[in-house]
Amino acid sequence: MTGITDFDALRRAMAENSEEPEGPARNARAEQLLAEAEKLDVPLAVIEALGHQLKVYNYSSEKDKMFVPFARLLRMWDERPEDFDEYEVHSLHWVFKWVSSGMLGQPHIPLASIEKWLAEMEHRYRLAGHSERAVRSAEFSVASHVGDLARAERAYTTWLAADRDTMADCHACELHSQGEWQVERGRDAEALDLWGPVLEGEFTCAHEPHTVLASSLAPLLRLGRTDEARAHHLRGFRLVRPMESMRGAYADHVEFCALSGNEARGLELLAERPAYFTDSGNPRSGLEFLSAVALLMDRLTGLGLGDQRVPGPAGRSWTARELAVHARVETLALAARFDERNGTTHIGDRARARMDQLPLVERLPLGVRSAARPAAAPVTVPAAAPEAAPAKDLAALLAEARRLSDTLRPHAVEAWLAVARAAEGVELTALDRAEIADHQAMDRGPEGVALFERAAELYAEAGDPGEACAARARAAYVRALAGDVDEALAAVTGPYDEVLALYAEDATGVRQTAGVLMSRARVLMRGVQEDPSGESPDDAVLAAAEAAVREVLALVEGQRPPGGEADVRLAARAAEGQAMLAELALRRGDMETAVRLFARASAAFVTAGLPWFAVEYEARSAGLAHHLGDIAEAERALRAALEHGGPYLEAPGRAQLHLQLAEVLGGRGRSQEAAEHALEAAHWSDEAGEGPTLGAWARHQLGGFLLRQGRWAEAAEVLESALPDLSAETHGDGAVVQAKWWLGDCLSELGEHRAAAERRLQAAEIARHWPEQHDHATLAHLAAESLGQAGLHTEADQAYTRAGDLWRSLGNVHGLVRSLRARAWLALRAEPADRGTDGARELMSAAIEECEAALLVTDDEEARQRLTGELGHTHRQFGELLARSVAEEAEDTAIQGAFEDALTQTAEAVAVFAALGDGAVHTRTAAELAAGWLEADLSRPADAATRARGVLKAYEGADDGDETVRSRRAEASQLLQLMEEQTGA
């Protein structure tokens, strides 16, 4: 069944199993392979199979199983060391470290046994001639685990002072451990400095920077470096997600969510790994995970969400409150086992400190798709019989409501609603009741007509006929909002005529008169905006509206009360009038004037101390400026809108403004700042409940901006998060294709070539139906590249063939030639080798023919230059392919023939590049040197030396600061020296 009949087959099977995902299935296969190895009667086969089994156990949830194969290996070494080859001797000593750290994570193993094991490790390392560095590192782990700080500091110092040798952990792992110690000692900044080389990619390994990224999250939050924390979460979680053995690092990401206001994402993380609640093979990481779970559940309970259903251990349903209790009990029970074994309280103290942390950030937007923080259910209070508010309290509420409405402050309507609730059962004046009804009507929108009419009656009863006219005019405007513009015009005519008569007789004030005139102007503007024909309104409609607006402006502009201060209501009328004139200019097609007038209206609102009213017009101005190509003005207006909206902007509006600004900044090449605003847009879209629509578009944009900065892992996380919500119906199929294309690029950069191919093929399938096929061809070509890099050569050849057909149909010779060259390289790997070589030659020859045929019919000089360059590169690659087409063990005549053919093609490349002149000097010299080395391999030192001198001559007087120049000179000098030594010249 297994096909394991010899040692080589066993080794292949173990190599294949090593590439499988971590987990029980891989472990079970390792156990099968050990059984197969024992049948071969080859001691080394058993040794290697035991080593393989030990490795997969160590990197899994069954870490406790690794002690048995190690004990057997150690016994075999003590009994017959000659059965071990050099690599297995090294491996045996290497895994001493795994076993010592593994023992620390198993509380049933006595501390005395661990100390004995540490001494055994030191003894065996000394016998093998190894440095004490790894031993002191292991001793430090023991001391820090039990909380013996003095011993830990001594071991830490000795560890760093000891020489690095082949037994030392890799640089990345050592730096991780050193940084964790700094964190434990309260030195977050020092830890991050130590981790810098790992985070920057200088040092990596199979589990780094995975754990460093996770460990850095809380320190970064504590230091206020939230942007880095966000980036590390997105990068790091992507790395640990598929790795079963990284429960401790996974827990750090759950903790980060609890500390940064991302509780909903924390729940999503728990749902992804249900087995982490119950895996028992590594109690130490289980304690770390459950303590993070307790922290998250306590946070949810503190937010009033204790009754929310949450992911938990299988077998029952859990609320946040129930899981908080369970996780805390389990954590403390595990900690108690460790502390009992260690004879200290260190593990329990750390667990309690972790579970009791308070949030470090109220809410840190991440950019990825996640539910908004769930709101606690409102507390229901039994209704009591209404009681009259004390007169003093009602008077205060009335005064505050009048202050807010007189100065046009936000939340004035809410203040009047509070007055209405407090006034139930209280005898009020007609004026008080009029104002209450007036503001209740404002809160009801189209349903407020009757209340406005009631307010008008009460104002008249109170002896204020001007305000009565204003209330009736507001009722008319509400009718217009409902679509009854003609009825509204008829309804506003009476109040309009009446208030003008009152004003002429000094029977009402400017404020009341302006209110009526503005309502009439608004009604007429609705007629402009809602022309039933859908076309631009005729001149008469525009003129009537403009006359009404100018009448308002003539009344209010320049009006000042006796004290000299401008009436804020009249200032607001003047500002709104300017905005109306802007709208009319826009309707006439005069966008430049519209931008200027919207800007004037915004400035007037700001000057009046009403910046929140400016937001709408700044946003309109930004859109028009962008359309006109005035990107700087668009940026200014959007920034002003965000600034002036301040805390009063609703989530949907805030999301829209951030997204518009992101797009403007992205268009100006400022990707980093654009990403910041796209991130905010995604966050506020989620808060507004528009995550699947506006939020998906914001994440799409954010992913693109992150990609431009080379932040591949972050971009990939964001784009993968956006794709489930992006749809052709809502966002357009172009957005879906672009997101998949970008994601393919990210995955390719991350080395996830199979996944990159999948995304590129998905995008190509959509683009296949577009009238213009260039994107389809490009995506098919990119998918072929990814398939080739993933080792799927047959599929890659099929994709290149498809791309080549598309390039041919588009008349794109460059794409066609490159697809043929790529297929030639794939063909070279085909079996049998001679058939593959023949196919590769045919494809390269076809690529040359396509270039030459295109050159015959091309008149455009620039196109000829590009095609000539393509021809040169094709000859150059043909030569390289031919040189690689023969194996080292081939007969001399075969090698000689292949190199001769390769030299012919390479020399042709030199000639083609030479025809392009000085602009192609670097490509020509590269081909010249390749030809020189072939001459050397063909035992023609004089010819090789001539080519080397030609390269040196080409760079006489060239800029020595140019890296390519230096590289070519160095290689040519090396070739020349070797050839002169051979000839004795």
Side-chain angles (χ1 to χ4, degrees):
M1 182 178 70
T2 62
I4 307 299
T5 57
D6 55 44
F7 200 175
D8 287 341
L10 175 70
R11 283 174 165 167
R12 286 194 298 272
M14 290 190 295
E16 291 170 2
N17 196 43
S18 293
E19 297 302 315
E20 293 298 311
E22 295 177 349
R26 187 170 75 155
N27 295 354
R29 177 61 174 154
E31 292 163 5
Q32 292 173 357
L33 291 174
L34 175 59
E36 294 293 331
E38 289 169 336
K39 298 175 184 176
L40 297 178
D41 195 27
V42 178
L44 184 58
V46 175
I47 291 167
E48 291 189 12
L50 284 167
H52 174 65
Q53 190 181 77
L54 197 157
K55 178 180 178 180
V56 299
Y57 284 155
N58 185 58
Y59 294 119
S60 77
S61 61
E62 298 178 310
K63 204 177 182 80
D64 55 334
K65 289 185 175 181
M66 70 177 177
F67 303 112
V68 172
F70 181 74
R72 184 177 173 187
L73 271 173
L74 194 59
R75 185 173 64 252
M76 292 175 72
W77 166 252
D78 289 338
E79 293 174 355
R80 290 181 57 85
E82 64 273 16
D83 289 341
F84 288 69
D85 63 14
E86 183 179 354
Y87 177 81
E88 292 304 326
V89 171
H90 177 273
S91 296
L92 177 68
H93 286 81
W94 181 268
V95 295
F96 265 88
K97 299 178 296 181
W98 293 359
V99 174
S100 63
S101 64
M103 285 180 173
L104 283 176
Q106 305 291 332
H108 68 279
I109 299 179
L111 187 62
S113 297
I114 296 173
E115 294 286 5
K116 181 180 178 181
W117 180 255
L118 183 63
E120 178 75 8
M121 177 182 175
E122 183 171 11
H123 171 68
R124 287 179 180 268
Y125 272 40
R126 188 181 301 114
L127 286 178
H130 296 306
S131 163
E132 67 171 338
R133 188 177 182 94
V135 177
R136 298 285 77 82
S137 172
E139 182 188 7
F140 163 78
S141 297
V142 173
S144 61
H145 173 75
V146 302
D148 187 343
L149 301 185
R151 183 186 180 192
E153 286 286 8
R154 290 194 304 273
Y156 184 87
T157 302
T158 311
W159 165 25
L160 268 61
D163 292 336
R164 282 189 59 82
D165 67 351
T166 57
M167 282 298 114
D169 281 341
C170 75
H171 284 287
C173 289
E174 283 203 336
L175 289 173
H176 177 235
S177 299
Q178 292 162 21
E180 281 197 314
W181 178 241
Q182 299 305 317
V183 169
E184 185 167 344
R185 306 302 292 146
R187 299 187 284 260
D188 289 338
E190 289 86 341
L192 289 163
D193 287 342
L194 276 168
W195 289 333
V198 182
L199 296 170
E200 292 162 11
E202 182 180 349
F203 300 127
T204 62
C205 69
H207 288 74
E208 294 296 353
H210 315 42
T211 56
V212 163
L213 285 164
S215 297
S216 71
L217 295 171
L220 286 168
L221 289 178
R222 286 193 290 268
L223 292 171
R225 292 160 61 175
T226 53
D227 288 344
E228 292 172 77
R230 176 194 303 111
H232 288 197
H233 171 62
L234 295 178
R235 284 178 60 199
F237 185 67
R238 182 175 190 81
L239 292 171
V240 304
R241 179 190 278 133
M243 302 182 74
E244 184 197 51
S245 65
M246 304 202 73
R247 179 164 57 173
Y250 202 99
D252 289 339
H253 287 277
V254 175
E255 176 190 52
F256 164 81
C257 292
L259 297 178
S260 64
N262 286 286
E263 298 86 3
R265 179 165 172 83
L267 294 177
E268 292 171 5
L269 267 58
L270 298 186
E272 284 193 34
R273 280 290 187 180
Y276 276 174
F277 286 99
T278 53
D279 284 344
S280 59
N282 186 358
R284 188 174 185 176
S285 71
L287 187 155
E288 293 166 354
F289 179 75
L290 288 169
S291 63
V293 171
L295 171 67
L296 178 61
M297 294 305 123
D298 281 346
R299 175 65 178 151
L300 287 169
T301 303
L303 290 169
L305 299 165
D307 294 327
Q308 179 175 326
R309 296 292 174 188
V310 296
R316 55 161 290 186
S317 61
W318 296 87
T319 65
R321 185 180 291 105
E322 291 167 342
L323 186 57
V325 173
H326 171 81
R328 183 174 287 269
V329 168
E330 290 294 311
T331 297
L332 293 177
L334 277 170
R337 291 174 59 197
F338 279 106
D339 284 341
E340 182 180 3
R341 189 269 304 272
N342 298 339
T344 67
T345 63
H346 183 64
I347 299 299
D349 293 342
R350 290 190 64 191
R352 278 182 282 272
R354 185 178 204 182
M355 292 187 289
D356 294 342
Q357 291 178 97
L358 296 175
L360 298 170
V361 181
E362 177 58 28
R363 188 72 188 273
L364 177 61
L366 301 178
V368 291
R369 179 175 179 257
S370 180
R373 176 185 292 173
V379 178
T380 303
V381 180
E387 297 180 6
K392 183 178 179 182
D393 292 349
L394 181 56
L397 288 172
L398 271 166
E400 176 63 8
R402 285 187 175 121
R403 182 189 71 81
L404 292 174
S405 56
D406 285 346
T407 55
L408 299 178
R409 298 296 105 176
H411 310 306
V413 170
E414 290 87 342
W416 279 105
L417 294 177
V419 169
R421 288 191 295 270
E424 291 180 11
V426 177
E427 189 68 29
L428 297 174
T429 67
L431 179 60
D432 293 341
R433 286 182 288 136
E435 289 181 284
I436 291 171
D438 204 0
H439 287 88
Q440 283 180 320
M442 294 177 193
D443 184 52
R444 295 190 183 182
E447 299 176 1
V449 172
L451 271 173
F452 277 127
E453 298 288 0
R454 176 59 181 154
E457 294 172 2
L458 290 167
Y459 280 127
E461 182 183 333
D464 191 342
E467 202 61 66
C469 289
R472 287 162 56 204
R474 285 191 281 275
Y477 177 53
V478 167
R479 287 189 173 93
L481 288 175
D484 298 327
V485 175
D486 292 338
E487 182 182 344
L489 276 172
V492 83
T493 300
Y496 171 73
D497 292 339
E498 188 176 336
V499 83
L500 287 179
L502 289 169
Y503 183 65
E505 297 168 0
D506 288 333
T508 193
V510 174
R511 178 185 286 188
Q512 291 81 0
T513 307
V516 176
L517 268 57
M518 180 54 79
S519 289
R520 179 171 176 269
R522 288 171 176 169
V523 170
L524 287 164
M525 288 297 296
R526 293 300 297 181
V528 169
Q529 295 161 350
E530 295 191 358
D531 188 292
S533 68
E535 301 177 357
S536 298
D538 60 36
D539 291 342
V541 175
L542 291 169
E546 181 173 352
V549 173
R550 293 197 181 280
E551 187 177 18
V552 174
L553 292 173
L555 176 67
V556 302
E557 285 184 340
Q559 291 281 352
R560 286 182 181 274
E565 285 189 17
D567 184 323
V568 68
R569 282 180 172 268
L570 299 183
R573 303 293 189 208
E576 187 178 353
Q578 294 294 331
M580 287 176 166
L581 292 178
E583 185 68 39
L584 290 167
L586 187 59
R587 293 284 167 170
R588 293 188 174 102
D590 187 353
M591 283 192 284
E592 290 85 355
T593 298
V595 169
R596 177 171 51 79
L597 289 172
F598 276 132
R600 184 183 295 175
S602 302
F605 276 121
V606 173
T607 301
L610 305 169
W612 47 88
F613 285 117
V615 173
E616 175 186 353
Y617 307 115
E618 285 162 340
R620 294 290 304 280
S621 182
L624 291 171
H626 200 182
H627 183 77
L628 291 168
D630 189 348
I631 307 302
E633 172 58 21
E635 180 184 339
R636 183 211 63 75
L638 288 167
R639 289 188 187 280
L642 284 167
E643 176 189 351
H644 294 146
Y648 307 112
L649 270 175
E650 296 291 334
R654 192 181 294 275
Q656 288 279 7
L657 288 171
H658 277 296
L659 186 54
Q660 286 178 262
L661 185 52
E663 291 171 346
V664 167
L665 292 168
R668 305 189 80 180
R670 289 150 63 183
S671 298
Q672 183 172 347
E673 193 178 359
E676 294 169 5
H677 286 283
L679 174 68
E680 290 293 324
H683 167 70
W684 288 109
S685 297
D686 291 340
E687 290 293 302
E690 297 184 13
T693 52
L694 186 63
W697 181 255
R699 277 182 267 280
H700 170 261
Q701 293 292 303
L702 174 59
F705 295 136
L706 291 170
L707 179 143
R708 290 188 204 176
Q709 298 171 63
R711 295 160 66 177
W712 315 113
E714 294 169 68
E717 280 292 299
V718 170
L719 291 166
E720 286 175 343
S721 175
L723 274 169
D725 291 324
L726 283 174
S727 68
E729 295 75 20
T730 303
H731 307 94
D733 56 4
V736 179
V737 167
Q738 185 65 83
K740 291 177 182 288
W741 191 331
W742 281 338
L743 180 54
D745 291 348
C746 292
L747 295 170
S748 179
E749 292 289 345
L750 293 169
E752 300 176 35
H753 299 299
R754 187 183 291 260
E758 181 181 357
R759 292 302 188 179
R760 287 167 166 175
L761 287 170
Q762 289 170 355
E765 181 58 25
I766 299 172
R768 183 170 69 88
H769 303 285
W770 293 354
E772 209 291 312
Q773 288 287 284
H774 186 272
D775 286 343
H776 181 200
T778 303
L779 285 162
H781 200 115
L782 290 171
E785 287 182 6
S786 294
L787 289 165
Q789 289 168 319
L792 302 171
H793 299 147
T794 301
E795 293 85 348
D797 183 72
Q798 292 169 352
Y800 276 125
T801 301
R802 174 185 177 189
D805 291 342
L806 289 166
W807 291 129
R808 187 186 298 279
S809 69
L810 291 166
N812 189 317
V813 178
H814 299 277
L816 172 59
V817 167
R818 290 168 189 177
S819 67
L820 288 167
R821 292 200 306 244
R823 289 182 62 203
W825 284 107
L826 287 171
L828 196 61
R829 301 184 178 96
E831 296 290 343
D834 56 346
R835 185 182 302 170
T837 301
D838 291 342
R841 283 173 175 265
E842 290 174 6
L843 287 162
M844 278 293 184
S845 297
I848 289 172
E849 290 170 6
E850 292 291 347
C851 284
E852 292 175 340
L855 280 167
L856 290 174
V857 297
T858 301
D859 296 327
D860 181 82
E861 184 55 32
E862 183 179 347
R864 287 188 63 80
Q865 292 279 315
R866 290 186 61 224
L867 282 168
T868 301
E870 199 73 75
L871 177 61
H873 286 297
T874 306
H875 280 297
R876 173 76 176 82
Q877 285 197 35
F878 199 174
E880 186 178 351
L881 180 143
L882 291 167
R884 294 187 184 184
S885 65
V886 286
E888 291 183 7
E889 63 272 15
E891 294 181 1
D892 289 347
T893 54
I895 295 175
Q896 177 90 7
F899 280 17
E900 289 283 6
D901 291 345
L903 179 59
T904 299
Q905 291 294 334
T906 308
E908 191 65 36
V910 172
V912 172
F913 288 134
L916 292 173
D918 293 341
V921 63
H922 291 331
T923 51
R924 177 176 67 80
T925 54
E928 192 83 73
L929 285 167
W933 290 112
L934 285 167
E935 302 272 23
D937 288 334
L938 290 166
S939 301
R940 300 170 188 168
D943 293 336
T946 299
R947 292 190 182 277
R949 292 189 189 99
V951 171
L952 291 171
K953 183 175 179 58
Y955 289 117
E956 285 180 356
D959 179 12
D960 203 38
D962 185 313
E963 184 178 346
T964 303
V965 172
R966 292 199 308 273
S967 173
R968 294 286 192 275
R969 281 175 173 164
E971 187 178 352
S973 297
Q974 179 190 15
L975 177 59
L976 182 60
Q977 181 180 351
L978 287 171
M979 295 304 98
E980 288 178 342
E981 288 172 358
Q982 285 186 22
T983 59

